[in-house]
């Protein structure tokens, strides 16, 4: 009798590791496959970068409160963010779309309006894809191709002890935006006449519905002459993604709770919903900020950039990832972020 192992017993990352064990690249131009934000392909003078993401209705988005135009924008931004995490420049995008018969031509137009706007903002071309029918709602897959100079690529597995740990923007906003939207959905389902209470919460709602990929910081790091020693984008949550860098680099890390960049609206929403703001910053997903490490010598070049916060440092204690709390104690960080 064959053994049956439930996928839930492995989790998303355990499943990826299991798949990766059975796959070997054989072509000389395949520099890196599974395990980073994008695959790396040798193009001669440059590296090519290739990434893909999939979004399923009911799992990754809820059309009760997600405008199709915003959804189109977010899907492109999410793919672009993977290229940014390799310190690369995105160039082309393809979209695969599966639609059920409840979607009209006008709905598809609205979705692609958002995609076209994102392509314009991030200076990429939408060059093709595939469309098919679906029996389970809307399914969208995005693939992004980009490029990076060989001496400027950033991987996940190259962080070094004593490197400084940096993050762009602020954290936890997308998660709090989602919690507010979910709350208002439940209120609406209970009483369709109730008006949503989202006044003054524009920023965290925008963080969930229309995030930005941080290509601006990629360009600014280049202008400052700084190449990250490692980098990842924050799609699953700070704790989870930092653990990826540390596990793949064979290092540990210390981050300081008081250094976590959290917007005032995120604090207010967290207080309203009785969720710790630091918990949202550490474990909330979909911020699409960049988490990266730099050598200490790079500090002077980027210390005055208002988009970058230094939140900790890398240690040589393999696998020991700790949060230095405001109460001056240290607690181990575990991955409680988003696990598909």
């Amino acid at each position: 009798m064959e053994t049956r192992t439930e996928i839930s017993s492995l989790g998303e990352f355990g499943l990826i590791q299991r798949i990766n064990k059975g796959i070997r690249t054989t072509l000389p131009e395949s520099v890196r496959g599974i395990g980073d934000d994008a695959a790396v392909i040798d193009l001669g003078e440059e590296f090519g970068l290739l990434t893909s993401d999939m979004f399923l209705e009911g799992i990754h988005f809820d059309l009760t409160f997600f405008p199709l135009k915003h959804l189109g924008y977010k899907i492109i931004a999410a793919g672009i963010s993977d290229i940014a995490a390799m310190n690369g420049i995105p160039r082309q995008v393809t979209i695969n779309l599966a639609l059920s018969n409840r979607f009209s031509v006008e709905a598809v137009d609205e979705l692609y309006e958002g995609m076209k706007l994102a392509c314009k903002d991030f200076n990429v071309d939408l060059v093709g894809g595939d469309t098919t029918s679906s029996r389970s709602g809307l399914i969208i897959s995005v693939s992004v191709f980009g490029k990076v100079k060989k001496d400027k690529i950033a991987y996940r597995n190259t962080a070094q002890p004593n490197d400084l740990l940096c993050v762009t923007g602020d954290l936890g906003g997308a998660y709090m935006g989602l919690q507010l939207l979910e709350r208002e959905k439940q209120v609406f389902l209970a009483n369709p006449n109730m008006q949503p209470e989202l006044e003054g919460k524009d920023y965290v709602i925008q963080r969930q519905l229309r995030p930005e990929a941080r290509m601006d910081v990629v360009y600014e790091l280049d202008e400052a002459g700084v190449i990250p020693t490692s980098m990842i984008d924050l799609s699953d949550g700070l704790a989870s993604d930092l653990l990826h860098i540390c596990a793949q680099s064979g290092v540990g890390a210390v981050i300081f709770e008081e250094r976590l960049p959290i917007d005032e609206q995120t604090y207010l929403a967290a207080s309203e919903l009785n969720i710790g703001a630091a918990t949202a910053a550490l474990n909330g997903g979909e911020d699409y900020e960049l988490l990266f490490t730099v050598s200490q010598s790079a500090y002077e070049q980027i210390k005055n950039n208002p988009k970058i916060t230094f939140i900790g440092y890398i240690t040589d204690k393999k696998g020991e990832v700790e949060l230095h709390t405001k109460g001056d104690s240290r607690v181990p960080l575990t991955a409680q972020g988003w696990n598909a």
Side-chain angles (χ1 to χ4, degrees), residues 10-262:
L10 295 178
E12 180 190 4
F13 303 120
L15 181 63
I16 291 169
Q17 287 170 357
R18 187 181 177 97
I19 292 168
N20 195 23
K21 278 181 184 175
I23 293 177
R24 295 286 176 270
T25 55
T26 58
L27 300 175
E29 64 267 30
S30 300
V31 177
R32 178 158 302 196
I34 297 170
D36 222 302
D37 285 280
V40 181
I41 303 151
D42 194 335
L43 301 179
E45 291 185 6
E46 297 175 297
F47 283 138
L49 301 169
L50 186 60
T51 184
S52 61
D53 285 297
M54 189 174 267
F55 298 84
L56 277 72
E57 183 180 354
I59 295 176
H60 300 102
F61 59 89
D62 185 335
L63 291 178
T64 308
F65 52 70
F66 218 125
L68 285 167
K69 190 173 181 179
H70 285 23
L71 179 62
Y73 193 99
K74 180 174 181 173
I75 281 160
I76 299 291
I80 299 291
S81 187
D82 284 335
I83 300 297
M86 306 295 289
N87 208 32
I89 307 300
R91 304 300 293 158
Q92 285 85 21
V93 174
T94 61
I95 293 289
N96 297 325
L97 199 60
L99 294 155
S100 67
N101 61 7
R102 78 175 207 275
F103 290 94
S104 65
V105 171
E106 289 76 15
V108 176
D109 286 345
E110 191 77 1
L111 181 68
Y112 272 85
E113 276 303 308
M115 291 183 192
K116 288 187 284 188
L117 185 59
C119 287
K120 182 182 177 186
D121 283 357
F122 297 115
N123 193 29
V124 296
D125 285 335
L126 179 54
V127 293
D130 188 25
T131 54
T132 186
S133 58
S134 163
R135 292 183 178 177
S136 55
L138 180 60
I139 302 169
I140 312 171
S141 167
V142 58
S143 295
V144 186
F145 176 76
K147 291 183 178 183
V148 61
K149 290 180 180 176
K150 289 186 173 180
D151 59 350
K152 292 185 177 178
I153 193 165
Y155 293 110
R156 293 179 181 180
N157 67 342
T158 44
Q160 299 293 322
N162 301 317
D163 280 352
L164 301 173
L165 197 54
C166 312
V167 72
T168 62
D170 57 83
L171 306 176
Y175 177 75
M176 292 318 307
L178 179 63
Q179 299 311 303
L180 288 168
L181 288 164
E182 290 283 6
R183 181 191 69 179
E184 295 308 312
K185 176 188 173 182
Q186 295 308 316
V187 170
F188 174 78
L189 291 174
N191 182 357
N193 295 318
M194 289 289 284
Q195 291 298 307
E197 294 182 20
L198 297 172
E199 194 173 327
K201 300 177 172 70
D202 297 3
Y203 180 68
V204 290
I205 299 298
Q206 176 253 315
R207 292 288 281 167
Q208 171 58 218
L209 297 182
R210 194 184 179 279
E212 296 284 344
R214 295 315 301 258
M215 283 306 304
D216 55 336
V217 177
V218 172
Y219 292 122
E220 286 169 23
L221 287 172
D222 189 45
E223 286 169 16
V226 172
I227 301 169
T229 52
S230 69
M231 187 149 60
I232 191 170
D233 79 320
L234 293 177
S235 53
D236 298 314
L238 175 61
S240 181
D241 290 320
L242 175 57
L243 284 163
H244 284 321
I245 282 182
C246 290
Q248 293 190 29
S249 298
V251 295
V254 175
I255 59 176
F256 297 93
E257 183 182 5
E258 64 181 19
R259 297 289 299 157
L260 295 175
I262 302 172

